[in-house]
Amino acid sequence: MASLNLHRVYIPTNARNNHYILAEFKPDDSFYSHFDDLESAYQRLARKLFALCDEYELYNVQLIVNDKLPVVRYHEEAYSLQTDKQILFFYNPKYHEAHKIYQDEGHKARKIRLLFLATGDELRANAAAFHSKVKRTLDALQTQYEKENMCFKVRDHQHLTYDIFSKIKGHRETYGYKLRSLYPRYQARNCSLPEAHSEITYVTFSVPITRAIKTEYQHLLRPGDYSGFYRHIEDKLLTTCTQLQLSHVGFVADGRMPIIRNSQIDKSAHNRELQKLSFDTSLADGQTHTIWDAQHLCDVMHFVIVASDADNKDAGYGKFMNNVETMVRRFITQLPINPEKQDVTMRFFQHISYTY
């Protein structure tokens, strides 16, 4: 997928697009005081929200009032799964629609989350229009709840997902992307965003601990002490990243799922399921987060490559993505992975967030 144009990356045409916007606010006691009980507060909000969504043609929207973090993935079947800390939403933007509330009986939400899932075709081309519809919905909701003084934290998430070895498996058709930063893309399409905002762009990929890996590294896999194995993987990762001038790197192998944030708005933290990694993209010397549990062998190793401010070119993140693809190929070829049979799924994420 190399290109003579270094600022354009060629991605398989069977790549999957996702786009969703999460708007959340913290209801205080004064918010709840306007209602007889929790149930009536949530049901009234749901009625008003979904009526506005019908008006502004937003056809897949979820209201989350059980303090669980939504995770969105592409799937041909629409369904959701809940854990203690997360709700995983699987859907195909082309034809899945829903308006639904997620709540736990008697639970008083610390954060109320409105999840807007983009629908239809050409999600990237229509991203600014979708964002504008969400803003109009939030404007109308704030007007209807003027006494409650709703102040939203808005997070716009876009990602492209594809197997980096799809060409080896026979899918040769690609499409060239410049991967421009979200802020100028939206401004050019008359979707104005606050100047005070934060952006972060990154790539994730994962490697399961297969039987082949266990066999290859059996000399490093000592029950109760897997530090030698993790250090070996970490060294390979960081060495390969250094070769491609990729300076902001994450490696999580403790059973948790990494979520990535800009250090302007979030600090690193974790719970039983999630590991929040906070990156300062302005650091010229880079930043590394490596988190693994030496006493336990995890099922899946997660890797994160974050674009620095220097990677944000006027032409887009195409050059950064080309470097990441080269790095992943070099790294994977050092492991007992057969690219003809095993997928290595890359996810290219672009986030922008602001207070509204």
Side-chain angles (χ1 to χ4, degrees):
M1 298 174 199
S3 170
L4 294 176
N5 181 353
L6 294 178
H7 294 288
R8 190 182 292 270
V9 60
Y10 287 84
I11 290 175
T13 54
N14 61 356
R16 303 182 297 275
N17 270 293
N18 280 104
H19 184 193
Y20 64 96
I21 296 174
L22 184 64
E24 60 186 31
F25 70 95
K26 295 181 178 180
D28 54 19
D29 289 338
S30 64
F31 172 85
Y32 288 112
S33 68
H34 291 89
F35 307 96
D36 294 334
D37 51 36
L38 295 176
E39 179 69 17
S40 59
Y42 300 148
Q43 290 301 325
R44 180 185 173 192
L45 177 58
R47 287 194 301 271
K48 289 182 176 293
L49 171 64
F50 297 147
L52 290 169
C53 290
D54 285 336
E55 180 180 349
Y56 293 112
E57 300 179 324
L58 295 167
Y59 300 126
N60 200 331
V61 181
Q62 320 296 328
L63 175 61
I64 303 170
V65 293
N66 58 7
D67 286 310
K68 295 183 180 182
L69 182 71
V71 177
V72 178
R73 292 289 183 264
Y74 178 98
H75 203 277
E76 287 298 329
E77 296 182 24
Y79 63 97
S80 62
L81 296 174
Q82 295 196 48
T83 68
D84 287 344
K85 302 294 183 181
Q86 305 171 72
I87 306 180
L88 290 83
F89 293 95
F90 298 87
Y91 87 117
N92 186 328
K94 289 185 178 180
Y95 45 78
H96 289 148
E97 301 176 355
H99 286 168
K100 188 174 180 180
I101 181 172
Y102 289 83
Q103 63 185 116
D104 294 339
E105 186 176 357
H107 179 81
K108 186 177 183 180
R110 296 184 300 276
K111 286 184 180 179
I112 292 180
R113 294 180 167 100
L114 285 56
L115 177 64
F116 301 88
L117 302 171
T119 56
D121 297 313
E122 304 295 335
L123 297 193
R124 288 185 70 83
N126 295 320
F130 172 64
H131 195 107
S132 294
K133 290 180 180 180
V134 171
K135 283 181 61 182
R136 289 197 291 271
T137 301
L138 297 180
D139 286 338
L141 200 60
Q142 286 174 324
T143 299
Q144 294 185 20
Y145 279 86
E146 188 173 2
K147 292 181 180 179
E148 287 80 359
N149 193 28
M150 283 184 177
C151 181
F152 289 102
K153 182 70 174 182
V154 177
R155 304 178 192 268
D156 186 310
H157 303 255
Q158 296 182 39
H159 40 101
L160 279 167
T161 305
Y162 61 98
D163 175 17
I164 193 173
F165 294 117
S166 64
K167 186 175 181 179
I168 294 176
K169 297 179 179 70
H171 188 93
R172 297 182 176 277
E173 189 176 354
T174 61
Y175 182 84
Y177 290 87
K178 292 183 179 179
L179 302 177
R180 293 179 63 205
S181 177
L182 293 185
Y183 188 79
R185 269 177 56 200
Y186 282 9
Q187 296 294 94
R189 293 175 181 264
N190 298 315
C191 176
S192 60
L193 301 180
E195 288 189 17
H197 66 274
S198 67
E199 287 194 65
I200 190 164
T201 299
Y202 62 95
V203 178
T204 68
F205 67 100
S206 301
V207 174
I209 305 293
T210 60
R211 184 175 57 185
I213 288 178
K214 291 178 181 178
T215 301
E216 177 80 13
Y217 295 109
Q218 58 182 329
H219 61 291
L220 296 176
L221 299 176
R222 300 171 181 171
D225 182 12
Y226 298 98
S227 57
F229 169 71
Y230 288 134
R231 287 196 184 96
H232 180 77
I233 297 297
E234 181 182 319
D235 289 345
K236 284 183 179 293
L237 174 70
L238 297 180
T239 298
T240 311
C241 286
T242 300
Q243 294 169 356
L244 277 301
Q245 292 81 50
L246 298 169
S247 58
H248 290 65
V249 183
F251 170 38
V252 176
D254 65 350
R256 296 184 177 95
M257 175 70 70
I259 57 174
I260 314 306
R261 295 289 185 261
N262 191 310
S263 62
Q264 293 179 27
I265 57 172
D266 259 325
K267 303 300 180 185
S268 294
H270 69 268
N271 57 38
R272 292 191 305 275
E273 300 176 11
L274 302 170
Q275 176 65 58
K276 185 189 296 181
L277 303 181
S278 182
F279 284 90
D280 184 346
T281 57
S282 68
L283 294 177
D285 294 334
Q287 188 175 12
T288 301
H289 292 293
T290 57
I291 300 170
W292 37 264
D293 183 352
Q295 294 183 333
H296 298 94
L297 185 63
C298 65
D299 295 324
V300 181
M301 298 182 290
H302 301 284
F303 305 94
V304 181
I305 313 297
V306 178
S308 70
D309 290 353
D311 293 315
N312 185 5
K313 310 295 185 183
D314 290 341
Y317 287 98
K319 183 177 180 181
F320 164 76
M321 196 60 182
N322 278 314
N323 286 341
V324 172
E325 284 200 351
T326 300
M327 185 283 297
V328 173
R329 287 194 183 89
R330 288 183 186 177
F331 176 69
I332 292 298
T333 56
Q334 300 175 64
L335 302 176
I337 291 175
N338 184 348
E340 294 182 0
K341 296 182 178 180
Q342 186 172 337
D343 288 356
V344 177
T345 300
M346 302 260 292
R347 287 190 171 92
F348 172 78
F349 292 83
Q350 289 180 286
H351 293 184
I352 190 167
S353 61
Y354 56 89
T355 301
Y356 193 65

